Amino acid sequence: MALQKILIPIHEAQHFSFDECLRFLGRSDRECLHYIRNGKVQRMLLSEGEPVVVEIAPGKKSDYLEVTVLAPLGVAVAEEPIKKFITHWLHLDASLQSFYDYTETDPLLKGLAQAYRGLRLIGMPDLFEAISWPIIGQQINLAFAYTLRQRFITNFGYHAVVNDTDFYLYPHPAVIAALAPEALAPMQFSRSKALYLVETAKQMANGYLTEAALDEMSYEAALERLVAIKGIGNWSANYALMKYRRFPQSVLLEDVGLQNAIKNRLDLESKPSMTALQEYTRPWKEHAAYATFYLWRSLLSQ
C-alpha cells in the first residue's frame, strides 16, 4: 500500500536549511512531541480534528519538503491542515533576506547569518502550547522545564502508539481546565505555576481567549490581552506572540538565554542591565524576533 505523500513549498529556499532546523529541534532529549530519526522528523498533528502521524524530510528539490503520512494507513487525510501546520511550525513562508542584510549592519548580530544560515524561527501553531510553555519554564532552568513539560504532555495529552513509538498531542485546554491545580503537584509543579496553567486553560476553554480573536489583534493589543492573564508577564506574552502569532517585533528582554547570548557575543563580564539590553535591541524593530532566535541558537553547540 502506497503511503500518502504531501509536498510543502519553501519560500526563499536559498535561505532554508533543514539540518539547521533539526539542530534546534533536537536540543532536548526530553522532547516528546517530535522525534528526529535518520535526518527526518516524525510527529503527530491534527488534520480536520483527527490525529495524524507524519514524517517530514527534505524534498528531491530544495524548494519543498516531502511529508509522508505514517498513520492512519489506507485512509486519505486532508492535506491543507497538514501543510498549514508544518508551514507555521517551521516558518516555511518566511522572508529572511531583509534580516540577513540587517545583521551585517548590527555589531551584535554580525556573522550570525553566515553561522546559522537557513535556520527558521521554529514556532508553535497551538496557542495553548505557546502560552503554557513559558509558564512552565518560569524561574527554573531549561532542563527541568523540559522535564515538567514532558510530564505535562505525557499525562494529559492525547497518546497513540505508531510503529512502536509513543506519539503525543499537546494537552487540550479543556482537559487542563477540568483539573484542580493540586493535580499537578505530584509532577513537581509549584502551587502558583499549577494555578496559572489551569486558569489560562479555563480562559481558552470558556472562549474568553481564542486563537481567532488573537489572530485579529495588533501586536500591542495582543500583548495587552495576554499580560492581563494572571501568571503571564511581558516575557511569557512576547514568547507566545513570537512563537504563535509570529510578530516580528517580539523581543524578550527578560529572557536569560538572550541575556547570556549577548553577554557571550560582547564578551561582557556579567549579563547586561535592562537599560543596556534596551539600547542593544532598540534598533532591531521588525528584526527583533529573528535576532532573538538566532542569538538563542548561538548558545547551542555546533
Side-chain angles (χ1 to χ4, degrees):
M1 182 183 299
L3 297 175
Q4 184 176 351
K5 303 281 187 178
I6 303 170
L7 305 183
I8 306 181
I10 303 169
H11 182 62
E12 286 190 4
Q14 74 275 21
H15 297 322
F16 178 80
S17 168
F18 194 66
D19 287 341
E20 268 299 332
C21 292
L22 291 190
R23 287 190 184 95
F24 195 86
L25 288 169
R27 66 196 182 280
S28 174
D29 60 4
R30 297 174 178 86
E31 178 60 61
C32 59
L33 287 183
H34 65 262
Y35 305 99
I36 299 173
R37 293 173 175 164
N38 302 316
K40 303 175 183 179
V41 184
Q42 296 179 353
R43 73 167 296 159
M44 183 186 290
L45 50 84
L46 291 175
S47 176
E48 296 186 332
E50 296 298 322
V52 176
V53 175
V54 300
E55 181 176 77
I56 308 166
K60 292 182 176 61
K61 295 183 178 180
S62 63
D63 59 350
Y64 67 88
L65 294 180
E66 182 174 287
V67 177
T68 302
V69 178
L70 302 181
L73 292 175
V75 178
V77 301
E79 295 188 1
E80 284 309 310
I82 296 173
K83 289 182 178 179
K84 181 179 179 180
F85 184 99
I86 295 174
T87 296
H88 182 294
W89 185 36
L90 302 182
H91 213 190
L92 300 181
D93 53 351
S95 296
L96 271 67
Q97 186 63 59
S98 177
F99 168 65
Y100 283 171
D101 291 343
Y102 175 75
T103 62
E104 294 306 300
T105 71
D106 189 310
L108 178 56
L109 305 177
K110 191 174 179 63
L112 289 178
Q114 288 77 17
Y116 312 123
R117 182 169 297 277
L119 173 66
R120 297 293 172 98
L121 202 169
I122 309 301
M124 291 182 176
D126 182 322
L127 175 58
F128 184 54
E129 180 185 359
I131 292 177
S132 57
W133 173 221
I135 294 175
I136 291 171
Q138 288 172 4
Q139 299 179 330
I140 56 176
N141 65 55
L142 191 59
F144 186 51
Y146 267 105
T147 296
L148 290 184
R149 175 179 177 269
Q150 183 183 50
R151 293 170 182 169
F152 187 69
I153 292 169
T154 56
N155 277 274
F156 303 114
Y158 176 83
H159 168 242
V161 178
V162 176
N163 298 334
D164 298 320
T165 299
D166 293 293
F167 288 95
Y168 296 91
L169 293 174
Y170 199 80
H172 192 279
V175 173
I176 307 305
L179 298 175
E182 293 76 19
L184 297 174
M187 285 170 264
Q188 292 184 282
F189 283 87
S190 67
R191 182 177 179 180
S192 60
K193 195 169 290 189
L195 178 63
Y196 298 155
L197 285 169
V198 172
E199 289 302 314
T200 301
K202 285 181 178 178
Q203 294 222 13
M204 292 196 65
N206 66 21
Y208 184 63
L209 174 66
T210 66
E211 293 182 351
L214 202 69
D215 288 348
E216 297 299 318
M217 295 181 187
S218 66
Y219 168 74
E220 293 76 14
L223 183 64
E224 182 179 0
R225 176 67 188 83
L226 292 184
V227 297
I229 301 173
K230 190 173 180 61
I232 298 179
N234 190 67
W235 173 74
S236 299
N238 268 294
Y239 184 92
L241 295 180
M242 172 198 288
K243 290 281 200 164
Y244 172 74
R245 273 301 313 271
R246 294 208 173 278
F247 281 115
Q249 64 269 54
S250 297
V251 60
L252 291 75
L253 296 180
E254 305 86 355
D255 187 79
V256 174
L258 176 63
Q259 294 168 9
N260 282 329
I262 292 175
K263 173 181 175 290
N264 294 347
R265 295 279 294 174
L266 300 179
D267 197 25
L268 304 174
E269 291 186 1
S270 59
K271 289 186 293 186
S273 66
M274 185 56 63
T275 300
L277 285 167
Q278 291 169 342
E279 288 299 314
Y280 294 139
T281 61
R282 184 173 291 114
W284 293 353
K285 297 180 181 177
E286 73 275 14
H287 304 300
Y290 258 92
T292 300
F293 196 70
Y294 269 58
L295 284 167
W296 282 346
R297 170 63 180 89
S298 73
L299 296 171
L300 301 178
S301 62
Q302 294 295 327

